[in-house]
Amino acid sequence: GAGVSQSPSNKVTEKGKDVELRCDPISGHTALYWYRQRLGQGLEFLIYFQGNSAPDKSGLPSDRFSAERTGESVSTLTIQRTQQEDSAVYLCASSFRDGLQPQHFGDGTRLSIL
Amino acid sequence: EDKVVQSPLSLVVHEGDTVTLNCSYEVTNFRSLLWYKQEKKAPTFLFMLTSSGIEKKSGRLSSILDKKELFSILNITATQTGDSAIYLCAVSSGNTPLVFGKGTRLSVIA
């Protein structure tokens, strides 16, 4: 596709439920990143995928968070047993492998936990 | 720990003014510094800087990097209301996650 696509654009759910967020990167981009942006804050790194290498999970805030990526395409971020502090915009970005090109972002999923 | 600090945190100007946004950083294995503009949704890419002293320009926006003093500035001349946004600075150590500053919220008043 022309850009990074994320779905859903908005998600409202009750505390304790599981949610799944989806990201379709730009075609040909082997690197894929998930970030979280809380209200009024900068972007926090969550997890990074590069090709078939093991993902860098160093930014995941707890074991309730996990992510998968199928090859070099779609990724899903799963949050289990959601808490109110999980409310944020979840942004996905992708880039070419060599790191010499900028990351391009999707529009994000705005997650609200009631 | 890698760190990016942006200033000011917020700024209100009138249309036609010139603004300068600041970004300082501490990072191991610096590769590049990036500026993004964030309006309501996705941060959109503005500039990627890798070399000191070389100005990058796009219309009324320009940016320059000083790798000795570890900072960058983003200039916007003849500001317009459409320039109102959060401007994000980030640094990269290569093919790794970006480290972002908290952003500068710019409001341009007609």
Side-chain angles (χ1 to χ4, degrees):
Chain A
V4 178
S5 176
Q6 291 188 245
S7 62
S9 54
N10 287 284
K11 177 75 177 177
V12 180
T13 194
E14 292 179 347
K15 177 180 168 182
K17 301 283 189 186
D18 297 352
V19 295
E20 195 171 274
L21 313 180
R22 178 187 167 107
C23 172
D24 280 280
I26 292 171
S27 178
H29 282 189
T30 57
L32 185 147
Y33 311 80
W34 284 98
Y35 296 89
R36 176 172 71 178
Q37 187 176 33
R38 290 188 163 127
L39 189 64
Q41 300 295 313
L43 277 69
E44 301 172 69
F45 162 68
L46 296 177
I47 188 168
Y48 157 55
F49 295 90
Q50 173 59 276
N52 294 319
S53 302
D56 176 355
K57 302 180 183 180
S58 60
L60 294 178
S62 79
D63 59 7
R64 297 186 295 104
F65 287 71
S66 62
E68 293 184 348
R69 188 180 186 194
T70 308
E72 294 182 351
S73 60
V74 171
S75 175
T76 54
L77 176 69
T78 301
I79 309 173
Q80 295 178 307
R81 305 181 303 281
T82 51
Q83 304 293 314
Q84 286 186 331
E85 67 259 26
D86 299 334
S87 295
V89 176
Y90 289 82
L91 289 159
C92 175
S94 70
S95 71
F96 287 109
R97 176 186 174 86
D98 62 9
L100 296 177
Q101 300 297 321
Q103 295 177 21
H104 292 274
F105 286 82
D107 282 345
T109 293
R110 181 175 297 279
L111 177 63
S112 301
I113 309 300
L114 302 178
Chain B
E1 184 182 336
D2 296 346
K3 188 166 66 173
V4 176
V5 178
Q6 292 187 246
S7 64
L9 290 180
S10 67
L11 188 57
V12 181
V13 299
H14 289 95
E15 271 193 318
D17 287 352
T18 292
V19 297
T20 297
L21 309 182
N22 303 293
C23 176
S24 64
Y25 63 90
E26 295 175 25
V27 62
T28 53
N29 303 315
F30 175 87
R31 192 81 175 264
S32 61
L33 184 144
L34 298 92
W35 285 97
Y36 289 86
K37 177 182 181 181
Q38 186 177 28
E39 296 174 86
K40 291 187 178 169
K41 293 191 175 180
T44 52
F45 170 73
L46 294 174
F47 298 111
M48 185 176 192
L49 303 157
T50 56
S51 301
S52 272
I54 299 174
E55 185 183 55
K56 292 222 172 174
K57 199 169 170 65
S58 176
R60 296 175 295 101
L61 277 67
S62 64
S63 184
I64 198 160
L65 174 68
D66 186 327
K67 288 167 74 173
K68 183 179 175 186
E69 299 298 330
L70 308 182
F71 79 90
S72 173
I73 58 171
L74 175 68
N75 278 319
I76 309 175
T77 59
T79 51
Q80 302 171 358
T81 55
D83 295 327
S84 296
I86 297 173
Y87 290 84
L88 297 167
C89 174
V91 293
S92 170
S93 299
N95 203 15
T96 56
L98 296 172
V99 176
F100 281 87
K102 292 189 175 180
T104 293
R105 181 181 293 275
L106 175 66
S107 300
V108 182
I109 301 171

